[in-house]
Amino acid sequence: MKRTREIEKGSEIKSAIEELSMLIKLKPTDKIGPTMTVLRQDIDQNIQRLKMLCDSDPSMYSNLVEILKKEADEGGARKGASCSKASVWLARSLDFTVALLERLVADPGQEMEKLVEESYNITLKPWHGWISSAAYKVALKLVPDNKTLIDLLMPKDETYDTLKEDVQTLISLLVPFLEEIHSVLILYGLDRLKST
């Protein structure tokens, strides 16, 4: 988790897309269980949707606000495979990740199924329809135990304390970022968007 990165010239949205793409390559959701692969694929599709738009005209789509503004002005923010919807679900997926990691480091002895369920209930469940909720219930039965997940997340030659510190650092970076994203989503009336 500790790495240095060189800041390249370019847009903030492009940088965010690259960071999210790196997170997807690590496949942390796959480590929760095989059915979480669907979540990772959904996240990856949303990242690719944003990346394609950004790449189509980097000067016009240099940040998330410009993308959301354009789609809202054109009336397409809530339709089909919009970048606005992709942004909403990316933010919610990260909310789930933060909630799960917070619970995991706060109580590593708690059953993983309970940690996932609590995290899901406060972050994703309010926005899921019955199909997504049913799929989640099946996925919940396939999550690994805490020790297995912690062993998968922890690099070799690292202690649990180091992993806990890394996770807390990640959370401290993600929370303000997510707060900013959610305020932008509220601004464009996207914060109440439900799955279809």
Side-chain angles (χ1 to χ4, degrees):
M1 187 157 297
K2 293 176 184 168
R3 63 183 173 97
T4 58
R5 72 179 168 122
E6 191 175 302
I7 299 176
E8 299 176 23
K9 290 184 180 177
S11 70
E12 63 186 58
I13 190 75
K14 192 161 186 92
S15 297
I17 289 168
E18 288 169 5
E19 291 295 324
L20 286 171
S21 294
M22 288 295 293
L23 185 61
I24 290 303
K25 288 177 184 167
L26 296 174
K27 302 179 183 178
T29 52
D30 288 359
K31 294 174 189 220
I32 298 172
T35 56
M36 289 298 168
T37 300
V38 174
L39 176 61
R40 182 188 48 81
Q41 289 170 340
D42 187 47
I43 292 169
D44 191 42
Q45 285 176 347
N46 289 329
I47 291 170
Q48 292 309 312
R49 188 172 299 132
L50 287 166
K51 185 176 181 340
M52 285 174 43
L53 184 64
C54 184
D55 289 346
S56 72
D57 190 348
S59 63
M60 184 173 188
Y61 304 116
S62 62
N63 65 59
L64 184 60
V65 175
E66 292 303 316
I67 292 170
L68 298 179
K69 182 179 184 323
K70 178 185 181 291
E71 287 187 347
D73 290 348
E74 294 174 353
R78 295 175 168 267
K79 296 179 182 172
S82 71
C83 287
S84 297
K85 286 172 70 174
S87 299
V88 168
W89 288 104
L90 280 170
R92 289 176 181 166
S93 296
L94 289 171
D95 290 337
F96 171 78
T97 302
V98 166
L100 179 61
L101 291 173
E102 285 174 333
R103 282 164 177 71
L104 184 62
V105 297
D107 189 1
Q110 184 69 260
E111 281 184 38
M112 182 56 62
E113 189 174 322
K114 184 171 185 197
L115 297 175
V116 171
E117 186 171 17
E118 289 173 355
S119 302
Y120 174 80
N121 286 341
I122 62 169
T123 59
L124 296 173
K125 185 177 181 178
W127 314 112
H128 276 172
W130 70 271
I131 293 173
S132 297
S133 291
Y136 156 77
K137 287 177 185 173
V138 171
L140 185 61
K141 301 300 178 195
L142 301 171
V143 298
D145 60 73
N146 290 32
K147 183 181 179 341
T148 302
L149 180 63
I150 289 170
D151 288 347
L152 288 168
L153 291 174
M154 195 164 37
K156 289 181 171 81
D157 303 327
E158 242 187 53
T159 65
Y160 174 75
D161 289 336
T162 305
L163 174 66
K164 184 176 179 179
E165 185 181 305
D166 287 348
V167 167
Q168 289 170 330
T169 300
L170 176 63
I171 291 168
S172 72
L173 295 170
L174 280 175
V175 168
F177 174 69
L178 285 167
E179 287 171 354
E180 189 174 333
I181 289 173
H182 285 295
S183 68
V184 172
L185 295 174
I186 290 168
L187 179 68
Y188 290 99
L190 297 167
D191 57 311
R192 301 316 236 167
L193 194 67
K194 291 193 172 204
S195 66
T196 53

